[in-house]
Amino acid sequence: MAYAVLLCLAGAGLAVWAATRTWSVEVTVRPVPLPALREGRTGVGLVPWVPALALVALAGGGAVLATRGRLRRLLGALLLALGAAVAAGGGYGLVAETGGEPSRQWPALCLVGGVLVGLGGLLTLLRGHRWPAMGARYERPVRGARAAPAPERAGPVTGRRTVEAWDALDRGEDPTAG
């Protein structure tokens, strides 16, 4: 489970970071006394859906820890699809003609991030149902189900209970006296 979560988080983080870098630089030639104008285009400007999908994949990587059973396998399929979409955006950045000087390392890193998310999703899809789940301690009880018996204490409780001790402190009394 740790590998799947780390693959998803690292891949999504890498894709978001790479999408915010400059993917191409356009040079505009201006009249003689003025220097050439250089404008950079980031991955967000070229493929704006890639960072959004990468952020969803980042949240999904954390959700792997909170889900179980069929829901976790469904989440694995969603992460696989998100990884494929992010990788497709990085692949598009590699082959797209942007009209300027392309920078190939950032789209390639975006593609690698998508592949990592996809691998984490595939691992979750195939093996996620066997992984341990979070405890049910904070879940709402099911109607009609009996409450679990209270754990037995090691010995009898002597002296005042904790709430009574705090109430005594509030009144200004020493709960340890007597």
Side-chain angles (χ1 to χ4, degrees), residues 99-178:
E101 300 170 13
S103 174
R104 300 289 184 213
Q105 73 264 20
W106 303 119
L109 283 177
C110 191
L111 183 129
V112 168
V115 168
L116 291 176
V117 170
L119 287 175
L122 182 64
L123 191 59
T124 303
L125 177 64
L126 296 177
R127 297 188 179 173
H129 65 283
R130 289 187 247 152
W131 295 338
M134 293 176 68
R137 179 177 183 180
Y138 298 105
E139 289 184 7
R140 188 175 76 212
V142 179
R143 285 189 173 189
R146 292 185 172 197
E152 296 196 22
R153 300 180 186 241
V157 178
T158 58
R160 295 183 175 180
R161 297 205 178 269
T162 306
V163 175
E164 294 171 354
W166 284 107
D167 289 340
L169 281 173
D170 289 340
R171 289 190 302 265
E173 299 173 6
D174 182 8
T176 60

Side-chain angles (χ1 to χ4, degrees), residues 14-60:
L14 180 64
V16 168
W17 180 67
T20 60
R21 306 293 108 197
T22 303
W23 285 20
S24 72
V25 176
E26 293 182 21
V27 179
T28 306
V29 179
R30 300 190 320 182
V32 174
L34 300 173
L37 182 64
R38 297 175 60 90
E39 291 184 47
R41 293 184 69 189
T42 64
V44 176
L46 294 172
V47 280
W49 44 271
V50 167
L53 292 180
L55 288 175
V56 172
L58 188 67

